[in-house]
Amino acid sequence: MNATALPIPENLERFPELHRALDAQAAIAEANRCLFCFDAPCTAACPTHIEVPRFIKKIATGNLRGAAKTILDANVLGLSCSRVCPVDVLCEGTCVMSRYNKKPVEIGRLQRYAMDHYYAGGARISEARARGSGRVACIGGGPASLACAAELRRNGYAVTVFDNRPLPGGLNTYGVAEYKLRPSDSLREIEMIRGMGVEFRQAAVGAEISLEEMEREFDFIFAGVGLGAIERLGIPGEDLGGVIDALRFIARYKTSGDLAVGRRVIVIGGGNTAIDAANAARRLGAEEVHVFYRRGELEMPAFDSEYDHSKVEGVRFHWLAQPVEIVGRDGRAVAVKFAMTRLGEPDATGRRWPEAIAGSEFEQPCEMVIPALGQSRVTEILRSRGIELKGGLIVVERASGRTSNPKYYAGGDCVNGGREVVDAVADGKRAARAIIASMKPEAMRG
Amino acid sequence: MADLSTNFAGIRCPNPFWLASGPPTNSGEQVMRAFDAGWGGAVWKTIGEPIVNTSSRYASVDWNGHRMMGFSNIELISDRPIETNLREIAEVKKRYPKHAVIASLMVESKREAWHEIVKRAEDAGSDGLELNFGCPHGMSERGMGSAVGQVPDYTCMITEWAKEAARTPVLVKLTPNVTDIRVVARAAKRGGADGLSAINTINSITGIDLDTFTPRPNVGGLSAHGGYCGPAVKPIALHLVQQIAADAEVGIPISGIGGVATWREAAEFMLLGCTSVQVCTAAMHYGYRIVEDMIDGLSNWMDEKEFATVEDFRGLTLAKITEWKNLDLNYRILARINREKCIGCDLCYIACWDGAHQCIHLDGHAKPAEVEAASRARIAVTPIAKLDAPGETSGGTPTARVPRVDEAECVGCNLCWLVCPVPGCITMERVDTELPRESWEERTAAGGR
Ligand SMILES: Cc1cc2nc3c(=O)[nH]c(=O)nc-3n(C[C@H](O)[C@H](O)[C@H](O)COP(=O)(O)OP(=O)(O)OC[C@H]3O[C@@H](n4cnc5c(N)ncnc54)[C@H](O)[C@@H]3O)c2cc1C
Ligand SMILES: Cc1cc2nc3c(=O)[nH]c(=O)nc-3n(C[C@H](O)[C@H](O)[C@H](O)COP(=O)(O)O)c2cc1C
Ligand code: SF4
Ligand code: SF4
Ligand code: SF4
């Protein structure tokens, strides 16, 4: 695929952003609020350990180039992370300022400020630090692989990223809500990484190119395949017109302009994906958007910040209701039939399972249904290479990302079951460093 | 409510807050608005043969996002005709008889010139005169301002000339740009001065534009040294004021100037013996309205401290300043950290390690580099809400981040207390050494070190 001719559909700039940019004066005032903590807790809390006070002080002194470099050294996806990270449970959540009875320093927005400046200035990245010899393949073009590839490339190794979608970036390009991260920004990061010398190939590994072939061509293989499609509800009516799962829905609205939402939309699920889909439906013009979750408000896995924001968007939430059927007319969904639930005693994992209450069924009319359950697993292809899986996730040694097959490393959602972009980046970076450590002696021998 | 009325060498006014000679006192219209706002007095923008100013005259030092922590100017004296200034003084005095109007003067170093300007200013109705021997730029190149104030003999001589003609009190405004301000202050006293104003601005180069390499303020690609003032100069001004206030030979009232912006600085200058204070930069920054809190804050503080008049606390601090050799070497304090208040920034830790005596510790680590290495090696992940155990976000300061002072090693330097962002978190506490008071002077006299 030609890098410079990436199609960027027009409708992508449709919604206002969630966390707007800081202007220069505000950035400096905010930067000066930072105490410059020693062994800063915000740095420790960041999965990629960005030297937060260091880059913030550089903003304060007007050394924006240095600030950007500080961020990118730790986290090559510093741009997308500045927009998508749930900072209130990460860096900002540990900022000592909150114990000082003050607002935490706005680390995310300051990071965005430095990154915007860097990309506006042409995104020059320094050349590879060292000349390593060795070839590595990354399967999947999401944040985990991108971080792994960039770290290896910076150390001089040859890296090829294989992704099965038309555009690389994984969920950064196709998943994360657009009012947080625009696909164009995700693609800018990929261009920067491509500019470092990482090669990108569109291919479905396992189908178009086999793992055996890859093993012959590459010294190491990093699996950053993420998770798969949204799980099916397993109830009647799921294949009716007007039913579209949250990931397909989000990918469609992010990359094409032809998506019409109904007047009334029902979203089923209680995670961040459900909330992103519900917000998007509102913004695309749905008058009523109802989120139904089978447990209660307290059990909802979405971040508080996401939930609060969604209420501002006008999304309505309904608790303790699980779908039993999607009701259709003339092949299209017209309502969802729910049963009320009650929560049982906590099980071994501490979660309380919902039980349907007999005779409590009711119908909620709608024109569109968006199931947003968990995502399926796409790791099956790896089993044949002797890689241990557990519940469909790849088992790795935590600090290095090494799998049970020493030629393979893995990280990101396919290992952690689905966390955040920054966790995928941290996994990718750690794996790259472990791969470098195991290649170095060889390089010296050769 | 406390009585703020002030009598400065016979000049009476409702409060000790005067506007210093400068742009805020440039015209009658301004001074009247200032009196309406509450200022007790105004020293008129220096009057003399009108000058021509440069365009771009000011520059400032901003600090951590705060504007004008230090301020500098290359402006000269009044650019308006002497008659205009005097006519407006007369008008102000007519309308505001209870407020102090002091004419700041600067003319050629000729006896007749001084006699004439003194007479004219007094005829206009000014309550006193301030001889500007302090302006450190431009005017000094013409043999006036600090060119006079830097030479004790000239200072004495010109003060004498002014006094020969004056019926109202004469204040001499001193320049800080000398090695020993007391020598000039004594010369002014010898010349007959009734009071002193200190300090005028400090010679300075404010900063350099890193794109053009020209210092600020930029006048067509060049700059010249300016006079520095504003919050940054207060400690220097306080010291110079203390020097002359404590000098037995000087002994005349002082109007304190330099970095006064609120009642707090005013109280400080007065505790060092000043009878009034003057303000320029702060009024240029925020306008005349700042005087409201100066009056309110000072009188509330006086009520709290049970001072009925300004004379009740004037000079109280002078007795508390001595020479180093008299300080008690057996007085000991040490740092204590209040664990409840600590927010875990660890600034005290790194300050003591790198800038003091390596006696604040984070338990489990020997050196700063080990502390950082340990947290970088830790694997952090985003918690999944409701499923993962709550992280550091929720509770108080993690104990591992609360530092501990090794009291046996602490020398009581104050550094950690100064860097700690939380008030009352680190306290410097007295320890009883059970040794009698002993100064260096006493110790060396007794044969020790
Ligand atoms: C709707 C939604 C919203 C989200 N919002 C946020 C957010 O606001 N903030 C945040 O931090 N995180 C968010 N996340 C999570 C975040 O997107 C993921 O944690 C992150 O993208 C994981 O990166 P990854 O590289 O592991 O996987 P992915 O981003 O999933 O990338 C994997 C890539 O591998 C490709 N692939 C899979 N199998 C193969 C194969 N066999 N051959 C070739 N290619 C293959 C996939 O097509 C995909 O492009 C969100 C997730 C979703 C679903
Ligand atoms: C722009 C400007 C012009 C000044 N002009 C005069 C002046 O004409 N005569 C004078 O005696 N002092 C002049 N000064 C000095 C002030 O009166 C005052 O001594 C000095 O600024 C310190 O006080 P501050 O810290 O409150 O500003 C001027 C100061 C400034 C900033
Ligand atoms: S914890 Fe807050 S104050 Fe401390 S370094 Fe980080 S951002 Fe700055
Ligand atoms: S007072 Fe000085 S020596 Fe003592 S703990 Fe604080 S910084 Fe260290
Ligand atoms: S400087 Fe103060 S708040 Fe910060 S760690 Fe030390 S004692 Fe605690």
Side-chain angles (χ1 to χ4, degrees), chain A residues 33-37 40-43 52-53 56 91 94-97 104-105 107, chain B residues 345:
Chain A
R33 285 183 63 227
C34 171
L35 296 175
F36 202 44
C37 297
C42 49
T43 294
V52 175
I56 289 182
C91 53
T94 61
C95 176
V96 301
M97 288 303 244
V105 173
I107 302 169
Chain B
C345 65

Side-chain angles (χ1 to χ4, degrees), chain B residues 267-283:
Chain B
E268 291 177 298
F269 275 93
M270 293 167 82
L271 283 165
L272 286 178
C274 292
T275 307
S276 73
V277 292
Q278 298 183 27
V279 177
C280 184
T281 303

Side-chain angles (χ1 to χ4, degrees), chain B residues 81-400:
Chain B
I82 297 176
E83 318 70 80
T84 313
N85 282 311
L86 296 180
R87 184 169 16 88
E88 291 177 7
I89 288 180
E91 193 187 332
V92 173
K93 270 318 293 183
K94 202 156 61 201
R95 297 214 217 160
Y96 295 83
K98 292 200 168 70
H99 292 72
V101 175
I102 292 133
S104 169
L105 305 174
M106 185 195 291
V107 290
E108 267 182 294
S109 298
K110 293 201 180 114
R111 181 182 227 137
E112 310 71 49
W114 279 98
H115 283 176
E116 188 198 327
I117 193 74
V118 164
K119 283 206 197 77
R120 291 175 70 187
E122 290 187 339
D123 290 346
S126 42
D127 300 295
L129 309 169
E130 186 180 271
L131 313 185
N132 180 349
F133 296 166
C135 183
H137 46 79
M139 300 313 291
S140 50
E141 296 168 19
R142 306 174 194 183
M144 294 181 263
S146 64
V148 175
Q150 285 172 332
V151 183
D153 288 346
Y154 293 172
T155 302
C156 177
M157 179 174 73
I158 297 178
T159 309
E160 276 171 4
W161 293 344
K163 281 297 287 179
E164 285 161 9
R167 287 163 282 135
T168 61
V170 171
L171 284 67
V172 170
K173 185 164 179 179
L174 301 177
T175 174
N177 303 312
V178 291
T179 345
D180 187 346
I181 198 164
R182 290 171 301 188
V183 179
V184 193
R186 288 173 199 149
K189 166 76 182 294
R190 270 203 313 283
D194 302 289
L196 298 170
S197 302
I199 59 173
N200 210 313
T201 54
I202 304 173
N203 281 338
S204 63
I205 288 174
T206 326
I208 295 167
D209 184 317
L210 294 181
D211 295 320
T212 63
F213 317 129
T214 307
R216 290 179 289 262
N218 180 328
V219 182
L222 290 175
S223 193
H225 81 266
Y228 198 48
C229 50
V233 310
K234 186 199 75 173
I236 298 166
L238 282 179
H239 169 249
L240 294 175
V241 160
Q242 183 267 338
Q243 292 255 292
I244 51 181
D247 192 86
E249 278 182 53
V250 177
I252 48 176
I254 301 166
S255 185
I257 320 174
V260 178
T262 74
W263 62 271
R264 292 183 164 275
E265 295 83 38
E268 291 177 298
F269 275 93
M270 293 167 82
L271 283 165
L272 286 178
C274 292
T275 307
S276 73
V277 292
Q278 298 183 27
V279 177
C280 184
T281 303
M284 291 177 72
H285 195 162
Y286 299 111
Y288 302 133
R289 62 201 167 122
I290 57 168
V291 76
E292 188 274 334
D293 183 60
M294 298 181 86
I295 296 169
D296 188 42
L298 188 69
S299 55
N300 285 339
W301 175 77
M302 285 169 63
D303 288 348
E304 205 176 288
K305 303 291 176 202
E306 299 182 354
F307 296 132
T309 74
V310 286
E311 285 305 308
D312 291 354
F313 69 94
R314 198 168 63 76
L316 277 190
T317 300
L318 287 171
K320 294 182 182 284
I321 300 177
T322 179
E323 287 175 274
W324 195 95
K325 66 182 182 191
N326 300 322
L327 301 174
D328 181 6
L329 294 177
N330 289 334
Y331 174 79
R332 289 272 287 119
I333 54 169
L334 53 77
R336 294 237 161 90
I337 294 173
N338 180 338
R339 307 185 72 87
E340 246 70 275
K341 289 195 173 171
C342 174
I343 60 172
C345 65
D346 293 356
L347 287 172
C348 58
Y349 168 81
I350 198 64
C352 189
W353 267 88
D354 291 3
H357 290 82
Q358 302 81 45
C359 56
I360 299 189
H361 301 287
L362 287 164
D363 285 324
H365 300 287
K367 290 219 156 109
E370 288 175 21
V371 179
E372 287 190 308
S375 25
R376 297 307 176 275
R378 230 175 290 138
I379 293 180
V381 294
T382 311
I384 295 179
K386 281 102 187 182
L387 297 184
D388 289 345
E392 211 177 278
T393 325
S394 41
T397 306
T399 26

Side-chain angles (χ1 to χ4, degrees), chain A residues 59-83:
Chain A
I59 292 177
T61 68
N63 178 9
L64 288 182
R65 187 169 158 68
K69 229 189 132 291
T70 302
I71 295 163
L72 292 170
D73 275 351
N75 181 335
V76 73
L77 300 190
L79 171 70
S80 46
C81 283
S82 74
R83 293 165 194 227

